[in-house]
Amino acid sequence: MKTSNLHSWFLPCLLGGLTLATPTFAQDEDTPYAYPDEEETENKNNSRRRRTQDEDSPYAYPDEQNPERAQQRRSRQERDTADEFRRAAEGDEEEKGYERMSRLDDPNTGIAFEVLGGAMFLSSPRGQLVGDLLPAVGGRFTWEYGRLLGSEALREALWFDVRYTYAGVREGTKLIVGDTQIHYATIAPAYELTFGESSDYGAYAQLGGGFVYEHTTLEVGGKLTPMDGTKLLIQYGVGLRGRTKLSMESNVRLAWRVELMRFRRGYQDDTFVGASLGTAF
């Protein structure tokens, strides 16, 4: 009698325990048991978040949106985009943390050394249209100081030369011979117009000043008489300038120039026609 009562209670208890254990095992280990009220609240919140995201999404269908809210959202997006473009155009964005890309793309120093040669037409003291034709040689140092101004348009357009040119002439008769050596030293700024936005070639105009040192030795009957003189001069002229890149792995370039330059010393104008070749860094 006792055994039959035990069996009759054991089966209901076992079924009841399994029924209560099923929702318990369905929960994650780290997730607390959700009661019916909390599940309903969480489902409402998730539904509200999904509905808000769908309304703000650009891919939401128009018939599923509130027309007023959609119009306000579009106006806000257009206004924000217009403000960004205006700030970028007016330069309101902070640029202190950015480097200019030109300095990264072209890290050259803008310094060049060149040797020059050509023909010097000395102004004739006898009033001739074309004076004595002499060979002339020299050298120059060039620096693109426009890089200091922070302007892309003037970066390579402004530069100046420190230049030295030499020409010599010997003329006279058997009795009287004059040997003249002329040394030109000038500093001349220039402005260059390049053949394109990022071109390494351009045409330039130059205007500067300096001095000329003239040493003359007069020989009369075997007797030498030296004479020296210094005058201020003005240098002006035009030319073509290029900086050809030699290698993609190096910043060293081939600097060259073809020019027509004049040196005015006193009432005389000496004309130089020539070219130069060198290295730019």
Side-chain angles (χ1 to χ4, degrees), residues 114-128:
E114 303 174 38
V115 294
L116 58 90
M120 182 73 75
F121 296 88
L122 291 182
S123 179
S124 175
R126 296 181 292 272
Q128 298 176 353

Side-chain angles (χ1 to χ4, degrees), residues 203-218:
Y204 66 90
Q206 194 169 24
L207 175 64
F211 67 92
V212 56
Y213 170 70
E214 186 173 342
H215 175 75
T216 302
T217 301
L218 187 63

Side-chain angles (χ1 to χ4, degrees), residues 2-20:
K2 293 180 180 180
T3 304
S4 59
N5 291 336
L6 180 61
H7 285 291
S8 61
W9 283 99
F10 178 75
L11 183 58
C13 291
L14 179 60
L15 294 177
L18 292 175
T19 303
L20 295 176

